[in-house]
Amino acid sequence: MKVIGSILWILVAACFVIAFAMVTRVFYPEEKINALWLVVAAGCFFAFAYRFYGAFLAAKVLALDDSRLTPAFRLNDGKNFYPTNKWVLFGHHFAAIAGAGPLIGPVLAAQFGYLPGFLWILIGAVIAGGVHDFVILVASIRMDGKSLAQIAKNEVGPLTGGAALAAVLFILIITIAGLGLAVINSLFHNPWGVFIIAMTIPIALFMGIYMKSVRPNKVAEVSLIGITLLILTVIFGRVIPSSSLSAFFDLNKNFLSILLAIYGFVASVLPVWLLLAPRDYLSSFMKIGVIILLTIGIVVVRPHLLMPPLTQFIHGGGPIIPGAVFPFVFITIACGALSGFHSIISSGTTPKMIEKETYARAIGYGAMLTEGFVAIIALIAATVLTPGDYFAINSKLSFTELSHLGFPVAKINELSSMIGVNLEGRPGGAVSLAVGMTYIFSSLPFLKYLIAYWYQFALMFEALFILTTIDAGTRVARYVVQELGGYVYKPFGNLSSIIGNITASLLVVLIWGYFIYTGSISVIWPIFGTGNQLLGMLALCIGTTFLIK
């Protein structure tokens, strides 16, 4: 068996080398690049990295040991510390770290061409992001589920701990605001989409109660029920725009911002088992399922990338991201390769719920590589669009201005008519990603006439990513605010305090809600990306100190 295994991994490595050479145009430099080569290169590279580098980190660097009792058992309070099934927790953790970062970041970075984003996602996820997430998760598990700031204070010193705490709170607020803006830009005056997202809340509550009280530990059973209900919601939501209920779901940006803030507050104070864990679990495996389907679609359709490897915007002055490719490709892609935000989740909810240390490899390192693959798929979905259509969706430039830049608009009006939503001037990446996904799905045999359904399904897919980050991010921000408040009034820092929970959650929601209500994606996303990478650097320094000690 060892020989067979070795041969298989040699074949995987060979497939990667060939696919990578095709993507980087070592072979046939004049031909258009088929998207299938990006899928093969990423899949082989990430699988190889998990099998060998991930195993090395688990055994030699972190020395994972199941004889150590995790905080989920030692500190079990049924609310914040709670032993959770490995794959349910993988779903929660993946959903929380992924958010919309690996979807929106690569889509926005596509303005530089497909190659800079592809290279950074591939390399960064393996040697930077995966290591970052894995090490911080294990450090937090061994320190009773302490936050990144508390780990920094213990391992480095009070000054570093204070800096980490301030950075964590800033990043959380900006992250939630940026992601919230993206989902609002895709849902305003879209009653079908709003109905679908609204229905995910009662479905998640039902799943939480079902797993807790009705049929405990029946994970597969409740998953099937939840996914079936989601699909039915997408199908029957088609009638909402033409029904008397349309007025209740046809909402403007400001009202959606207020509703999102209310949802964030409620989700952050409810017990994790009731809404957070089942919602994240459902959405996570829904996301993974969609990514698998999208990958199959790419394999079947084999679309060519229409965006060039590099555009003139690598030097700056782009209509979406004004900066040059260095450093803005790293800042823009963020969660798809390396994200300081992940250290917040890896030292937030996840270490308080993990059952065994050895699960940290799949949950910490494996989830990051999965996110990297999602980022590659998102990059493909954006770059199979005609460049002019891509820029028409993601910027406020007129068709004439885009033509003068060398990117004439081709099918934007036709696509808007087929989908039933005006696609022009909806920046933030979410809409162009949904259109790209819709193009791939509708190119499959017999699925062309379901294009409107695919678009709304794709929006639901993205919004679920975003809302799970808002769920977990608001809760973790509440932990940070309570920790800060605890220095002034010690009882406020008790995570079991109802008054502390409500007060801290309300403060956090008011701040990010204000930014969503008054901000724009072109301002907030670069701020988020810059701060996010700085926090990632700080977390890597803290993780290095933990390993040395």
Side-chain angles (χ1 to χ4, degrees):
M1 289 297 291
K2 267 192 171 183
V3 175
I4 295 173
S6 298
I7 292 171
L8 286 174
W9 285 114
I10 290 170
L11 290 174
V12 168
C15 287
F16 164 72
V17 171
I18 294 170
F20 186 78
M22 293 297 296
V23 173
T24 54
R25 295 193 164 190
V26 174
F27 302 144
Y28 309 110
E30 301 304 319
E31 291 187 6
K32 288 183 178 179
I33 301 300
N34 194 295
L36 185 58
W37 290 119
L38 278 74
V39 172
V40 173
C44 291
F45 191 63
F46 290 151
F48 198 88
Y50 181 81
R51 169 60 184 86
F52 294 101
Y53 192 46
F56 166 77
L57 292 171
K60 302 297 183 181
V61 178
L62 296 167
L64 301 183
D65 184 0
D66 283 342
S67 66
R68 292 189 181 100
L69 204 61
T70 64
F73 288 102
R74 285 188 289 103
L75 305 174
N76 187 353
D77 62 5
K79 188 176 182 183
N80 294 303
F81 293 86
Y82 185 77
T84 305
N85 175 278
K86 176 183 178 180
W87 297 114
V88 172
L89 185 57
F90 176 91
H92 158 70
H93 181 79
F94 172 68
I97 65 166
L103 300 177
I104 291 175
V107 170
L108 298 179
Q111 78 154 20
F112 300 120
Y114 73 80
L115 194 55
F118 171 76
L119 293 175
W120 174 232
I121 293 167
L122 209 63
I123 298 167
V126 170
I127 66 172
V131 176
H132 167 280
D133 295 11
F134 195 5
V135 171
I136 296 300
L137 175 59
V138 174
S140 185
I141 290 170
R142 292 181 182 168
M143 295 183 185
D144 294 336
K146 284 184 168 59
S147 69
L148 179 69
Q150 291 171 314
I151 296 171
K153 183 179 178 182
N154 293 345
E155 296 295 312
V156 185
L159 183 62
T160 306
L165 201 61
V168 164
L169 189 57
F170 172 77
I171 290 299
L172 281 168
I173 296 297
I174 295 299
T175 298
I176 295 169
L179 300 183
L181 270 172
V183 75
I184 284 169
N185 280 341
S186 64
L187 291 178
F188 75 92
H189 297 310
N190 181 3
W192 187 357
V194 172
F195 170 77
I196 293 169
I197 299 306
M199 288 303 296
T200 64
I201 298 172
I203 291 171
L205 290 171
F206 164 77
M207 289 178 65
I209 295 169
Y210 193 92
M211 282 196 290
K212 174 77 171 177
S213 304
V214 181
R215 299 272 286 174
N217 300 318
K218 298 293 183 181
V219 176
E221 183 177 305
V222 76
S223 301
L224 183 61
I225 295 171
I227 291 171
T228 301
L229 289 173
L230 270 182
I231 293 171
L232 289 174
T233 299
V234 174
I235 293 171
F236 290 109
R238 183 74 172 94
V239 303
I240 294 296
S242 57
S243 73
S244 59
L245 295 174
S246 177
F248 294 100
F249 296 100
D250 189 0
L251 307 175
N252 60 36
K253 291 183 180 181
N254 291 341
F255 194 66
L256 279 172
S257 300
I258 294 169
L259 289 179
L260 188 62
I262 294 171
Y263 166 76
F265 171 76
V266 173
S268 70
V269 297
L270 288 176
V272 289
W273 63 265
L274 182 58
L275 179 59
L276 187 69
R279 166 65 171 268
D280 291 357
Y281 169 73
L282 172 66
S283 62
S284 184
F285 285 96
M286 189 72 174
K287 295 164 195 170
I288 292 172
V290 172
I291 289 297
I292 291 171
L293 287 174
L294 197 55
T295 304
I296 293 170
I298 292 169
V299 171
V300 174
V301 177
R302 297 188 300 280
H304 287 97
L305 305 185
L306 300 182
M307 188 71 74
L310 299 170
T311 69
Q312 66 262 42
F313 303 127
I314 58 172
H315 305 295
I320 301 171
I321 303 296
V325 67
F326 183 85
F328 275 91
V329 70
F330 311 114
I331 290 169
T332 305
I333 286 176
C335 303
L338 170 65
S339 172
F341 176 77
H342 292 192
S343 67
I344 301 171
I345 303 301
S346 293
S347 62
T349 53
T350 304
K352 298 175 176 65
M353 301 162 70
I354 197 165
E355 293 179 325
K356 295 181 180 180
E357 270 198 7
T358 52
Y359 291 172
R361 179 187 169 201
I363 294 169
Y365 195 66
M368 180 60 233
L369 297 187
T370 305
E371 182 174 355
F373 190 78
V374 171
I376 293 292
I377 297 298
L379 181 67
I380 291 171
T383 53
V384 297
L385 295 176
T386 303
D389 293 343
Y390 164 84
F391 286 112
I393 295 170
N394 284 296
S395 73
K396 296 292 186 180
L397 296 180
S398 67
F399 292 180
T400 304
E401 289 172 314
L402 288 173
S403 293
H404 288 160
L405 288 172
F407 299 107
V409 176
K411 298 180 179 179
I412 194 72
N413 291 328
E414 179 186 346
L415 288 168
S416 296
S417 176
M418 292 173 70
I419 290 170
V421 175
N422 182 21
L423 301 175
E424 182 186 348
R426 286 182 177 256
V431 172
S432 56
L433 174 61
V435 173
M437 291 172 62
T438 300
Y439 166 76
I440 293 169
F441 281 135
S442 61
S443 297
L444 293 170
F446 310 112
L447 298 181
K448 180 178 180 180
Y449 301 103
L450 298 176
I451 188 169
Y453 288 93
W454 283 123
Y455 175 77
Q456 297 297 344
F457 184 82
L459 279 187
M460 178 196 70
F461 164 76
E462 296 175 58
L464 285 176
F465 262 93
I466 294 169
L467 292 178
T468 47
T469 300
I470 290 174
D471 292 352
T474 303
R475 183 176 289 267
V476 176
R478 186 246 292 173
Y479 295 160
V480 174
V481 170
Q482 285 190 257
E483 185 179 338
L484 284 168
Y487 293 130
V488 179
Y489 180 61
K490 194 170 182 179
F492 186 80
N494 182 4
L495 294 180
S496 299
S497 166
I498 296 176
I499 294 175
N501 288 354
I502 292 174
T503 304
S505 295
L506 187 61
L507 180 62
V508 168
V509 168
L510 285 174
I511 296 172
W512 63 250
Y514 171 78
F515 282 125
I516 290 177
Y517 196 87
T518 60
S520 67
I521 197 76
S522 61
V523 174
I524 288 179
W525 195 265
I527 295 173
F528 153 67
T530 304
N532 187 36
Q533 297 302 287
L534 290 172
L535 179 59
M537 175 274 297
L538 182 61
L540 285 169
C541 291
I542 294 166
T544 302
T545 306
F546 164 74
L547 292 175
I548 292 171
K549 286 190 173 183

